[in-house]
Structure formats: structure tokens, C-alpha cells
Amino acid sequence: MCKRMMLLREGVCSCFLLVKIQIIQTSPFQVSEVYSKELKGAISSLASLQGHLLIASGPKIILHKWTGSELNGVAFFDASPLYVVSLNIVKNFILLGDIHKSIYFLSWKEQVSQLRLLAKDFGSLDCFATEFLIDGSTLSLIVSDELKNVQIFYYALKMSESWKGQKILSRAEFHVGAHVTKFLRLQMFPTSDRTNATPGSDKTNRFALLFGTLDGSIGCIAPLDELTFRRLQSLQKKLVDAVPHVAGLNPRSFRRFHSYRKAHRPGPDSIVDCKLLCHYEMLPLEDQLEIVTRLERLVHRFSQV
């Protein structure tokens, strides 16, 4: 006999049920209710946090502890979000996405049973999906919005631009061209598994984000080491002029952050477009050599990328 615990959500009744599913070889599935509880407002998101159940209900998130017979609230946070649409967890850190007020970065302290706000984005943003992007010891916060953009933020307590850590800072931004509704975090293979890997570039704790969009497409966002990024960025700049584009459209203009009647300060240029880079290997050999020659100092190292 195999037993599993499963959470079911009923948004219409504004309640949630904790049910137990038993799988028996000689009979079909058996489902029995273990616990149910009503809340004020619809449940919009659920997440597991160090053995606790984190529930988002409207503008409030409540952390519950299962005692064996019931769920008891041990902490809550309802400072200013309007309506929570997504929750993501890494260790004791929480990423919260709001329907209009962008993202919030929180931490959970079990010793004092407290959910504490570390930083947030002070701009307005209609979140579609959020997730953590992990690159070794570097933790980034990623969010997709209504205007088909993807932004990457980071928490910098000691930087003056962060207002003593109250504001998260922009690391990169990118226009996908479709509404991203879900990110899936997947661990990457260590770079040492590749031949001719750069010494010291091995990072085993590295994750990529696979995402899906409303138009049916899928994509991936993955971290790069600094040297590889510089090489690919230089190549990308050359390909903008070297490759003929559909209807003569400029890919750099298309990938710029889109804002609707709002002043926007451009973020760092920290993302390379693999869709554009793929055109390089489809070029004739003569054109490839000409582009590489223009890159001067990267000629002898380019084949190692």
C-alpha cells in the first residue's frame, strides 16, 4: 500500500481541503477527507515552506503548521499587496508576486515565527509569474508581466541604490513577445562536464528556468559565466547587422522592455538572445569567418565557447 498527501483547492467556496489518497493494488483510488477549513477570500496560491503550508488568500499570506489533526496559523503577512498571484520558495526565502504591485521579497524566521519583508519593487507591475533564478551563491528574482516582458531583480543590502536594502534592483530585462504564465526551475549540469571548460567556472548549484507562454511556445533562461557572456554579447552585436531579418525588423528594438505610457529607465544589458545567436551557425563559412575576424581578440578563443 502506498500513501500520499495531496492538497486540493476550492476557490469558489473559499476553503481548502486536506485529503489523503490511498493507492491499493486490488482496488481503485480511495480518497478521504482529513481536514477542511474556510477562509475569507479565494485562495490564489499555495506553497510549502520548511514543512509548513503557505497560503495566499487575496492580499494576505498565512503560514500554517500541521499538528496532525488540524492546521494552525503561525505567521502572516499583509503589509500592502493587493492580490497575491504567485508564491515561490527557496530555503527560508519567499518571492511573492502581486497582480498590480510587482514583487515582494520576504524571509521566514522559525525561531520567532515571523514573516519579514526584506525588500520589494516600488514600481507598479502586473505580475503573471515569478520564480527564483539560482547561479551558485547568487540569487535572483524573476518576474513576467502583462506586457510580455521578463525582468530579473536582485537583493543588495549594502548598495546605496537599494535604499538600505528596502528596494530590489534590476539585473536584466527582456521582451519575450508572449505572456509567460509559468516558470519551472531545473538544475543544470556542472560546467566541468564539458570539454575545455574554463578553469574555476564549475558551479554545481546552478539552475535554469524553463517557461511556457499563452501562445503555446516554450523557452529557457539560463545563467552564463562572465567570459562566455562577453563573447556571445559581442557576437550578438555583429549579427544584428550581418543577418537579414524578417521584414527588416530590428531584433534589438523588439527585445527592449515595453512599457505602456510610463517612463521607464532602461535596465542593464545582461541578456543575450539565443534565437538571434542561432543564425550564426546557419551562415556560410565565409560569412562566419568574416564576423569572427571583426571580433579581433576573440578570434582564437571563440571556438572554446
Side-chain angles (χ1 to χ4, degrees), residues 138-158:
T138 302
L139 184 66
S140 300
L141 321 174
I142 189 166
V143 56
S144 63
D145 63 28
E146 183 188 17
L147 297 178
K148 306 177 182 180
N149 302 306
V150 166
Q151 293 186 76
I152 302 177
F153 295 92
Y154 67 102
Y155 176 61
L157 178 62
K158 298 182 180 180

Side-chain angles (χ1 to χ4, degrees), residues 5-245:
M5 299 300 293
M6 182 178 180
L7 289 171
L8 298 181
R9 186 190 72 186
E10 293 188 1
V12 177
C13 299
S14 299
C15 69
F16 61 87
L17 299 175
L18 184 62
V19 301
K20 179 172 64 177
I21 298 179
Q22 294 182 341
I23 304 176
I24 306 176
Q25 295 180 354
T26 58
S27 64
F29 292 96
Q30 295 182 358
V31 180
S32 60
E33 179 182 329
V34 176
Y35 179 76
S36 65
K37 182 179 181 179
E38 292 189 1
L39 296 177
K40 295 180 180 179
I43 299 175
S44 56
S45 187
L46 298 171
S48 174
L49 175 60
Q50 296 183 346
H52 298 69
L53 178 63
L54 190 62
I55 299 174
S57 178
K60 180 184 293 186
I61 61 172
I62 308 172
L63 189 64
H64 291 79
K65 182 178 181 180
W66 177 248
T67 63
S69 59
E70 62 179 356
L71 285 171
N72 294 328
V74 295
F76 69 93
F77 175 79
D78 60 351
S80 55
L82 293 176
Y83 190 84
V84 179
V85 295
S86 64
L87 291 171
N88 306 101
I89 308 295
V90 166
K91 294 184 178 180
N92 66 318
F93 296 113
I94 305 168
L95 176 58
L96 182 156
D98 186 79
I99 194 170
H100 287 307
K101 290 193 173 183
S102 195
I103 59 175
Y104 295 74
F105 185 44
L106 293 81
S107 68
W108 158 245
K109 290 188 176 182
E110 189 171 6
Q111 296 80 2
V112 294
S113 298
Q114 181 183 19
L115 290 172
R116 185 168 68 95
L117 176 64
L118 297 177
K120 67 177 183 178
D121 178 23
F122 284 84
S124 60
L125 190 72
D126 299 341
C127 295
F128 265 55
T130 58
E131 187 54 273
F132 286 104
L133 182 63
I134 303 172
D135 182 15
S137 59
T138 302
L139 184 66
S140 300
L141 321 174
I142 189 166
V143 56
S144 63
D145 63 28
E146 183 188 17
L147 297 178
K148 306 177 182 180
N149 302 306
V150 166
Q151 293 186 76
I152 302 177
F153 295 92
Y154 67 102
Y155 176 61
L157 178 62
K158 298 182 180 180
M159 295 188 66
S160 59
E161 296 89 344
S162 68
W163 303 345
K164 296 183 179 180
Q166 299 180 53
K167 178 184 178 182
I168 55 175
L169 303 178
S170 175
R171 188 185 299 276
E173 57 188 24
F174 192 75
H175 183 70
V176 178
H179 290 113
V180 177
T181 56
K182 179 64 178 178
F183 291 103
L184 179 62
R185 192 166 65 236
L186 300 173
Q187 189 165 14
M188 301 172 62
F189 289 110
T191 54
S192 58
D193 289 347
R194 303 184 311 172
T195 58
N196 300 325
T198 304
S201 64
D202 183 19
K203 291 185 178 180
T204 57
N205 188 32
R206 208 173 208 186
F207 290 79
L209 296 182
L210 184 69
F211 63 82
T213 67
L214 287 181
D215 63 4
S217 60
I218 60 174
C220 182
I221 299 175
L224 293 172
D225 58 81
E226 185 67 20
L227 181 58
T228 302
F229 171 76
R230 294 301 176 190
R231 293 172 179 172
L232 294 179
Q233 187 183 49
S234 299
L235 175 61
Q236 178 177 269
K237 292 178 180 179
K238 296 297 181 182
L239 290 176
V240 171
D241 299 324
V243 175
H245 306 292

